[in-house]
Amino acid sequence: RHLESLYGKRLPTAALIGESWEIVDRPEAQSVVHEGPLRGKTLHDLWCKHRAEIFGKVPATPRFPVLCKLLDAQENLSLQVHPPRVIAKKLGGESKTEMWYIANAAPKARLYAGVKHGTTRENFAKALEQGRVEKHLHAIEIKAGDTIFLPSGRMHALGAGSVLVEIQENSDTTYRIYDWDRTKK
């Protein structure tokens, strides 16, 4: 519930909420202007009908190219890898390059990014089966103010005890590899 205590987000009382989409132009979710002459307009409206005047000279894309989220990880989040654009397209998804800005972190909080030198496909697959992937991943201790760039194709996971701003390509495709809590489906 750090999104509530740190940022004043109104959250349902009985639910744990770990993600808030802050800047979004997706078919299933939209940022909406709350004040001023464009009140009520969605980010998609602004991107399609007022692009040059608001965003300047930018490449034409069907949707605003960035999605920004707040994430509150009170437990280790799933290990993921988002394939590069060509592979994602073949899989029917979207690529997702991300940048994480650590806004708040508990002592010893960490993230995981990339596999350690010497890790083979075979020993990583065995570690997945045994629930012991952590020994094959780079574990990086984090503190507020840290950032990390995660290009599509890099395996990564956010560890417990951190709140971050995730700035990513406009994608909602997730390729989960592993859940630390093996009881999750």
Side-chain angles (χ1 to χ4, degrees), residues 48-166:
C48 292
K49 298 173 185 163
H50 305 278
R51 185 176 305 170
E53 67 190 270
I54 294 174
F55 303 101
K57 188 174 180 174
V58 294
T61 58
R63 295 204 168 268
F64 187 73
V66 175
L67 173 60
C68 296
K69 304 175 182 178
L70 294 174
L71 300 179
D72 177 10
Q74 294 307 301
E75 59 186 40
N76 287 345
L77 301 186
S78 63
L79 181 62
Q80 303 179 354
V81 65
H82 311 296
R85 184 166 278 116
V86 173
I87 296 170
K89 194 170 259 189
K90 288 178 186 175
L91 295 171
E94 303 165 297
S95 66
K96 183 167 33 171
T97 290
E98 305 173 8
M99 193 279 303
W100 290 349
Y101 170 79
I102 310 305
N104 190 286
K108 305 275 188 200
R110 60 186 55 196
L111 60 82
Y112 303 88
V115 294
K116 291 181 179 176
H117 182 72
T119 298
T120 66
R121 179 183 294 263
E122 292 76 25
N123 62 22
F124 189 78
K126 188 175 181 179
L128 279 172
E129 289 173 16
Q130 296 172 343
R132 300 179 56 164
V133 297
E134 188 171 355
K135 67 181 184 176
H136 293 287
L137 303 172
H138 292 286
I140 304 164
E141 280 198 25
I142 56 174
K143 63 183 180 325
D146 287 347
T147 60
I148 187 167
F149 177 71
L150 299 163
S152 60
R154 178 159 301 146
M155 204 172 310
H156 62 279
L158 183 58
S162 53
V163 175
L164 63 84
V165 179
E166 179 178 83

Side-chain angles (χ1 to χ4, degrees), residues 21-33:
W21 290 18
E22 297 298 309
I23 300 173
V24 58
D25 177 12
R26 300 286 304 164
E28 67 275 20
Q30 282 292 313
S31 292
V32 178
V33 177

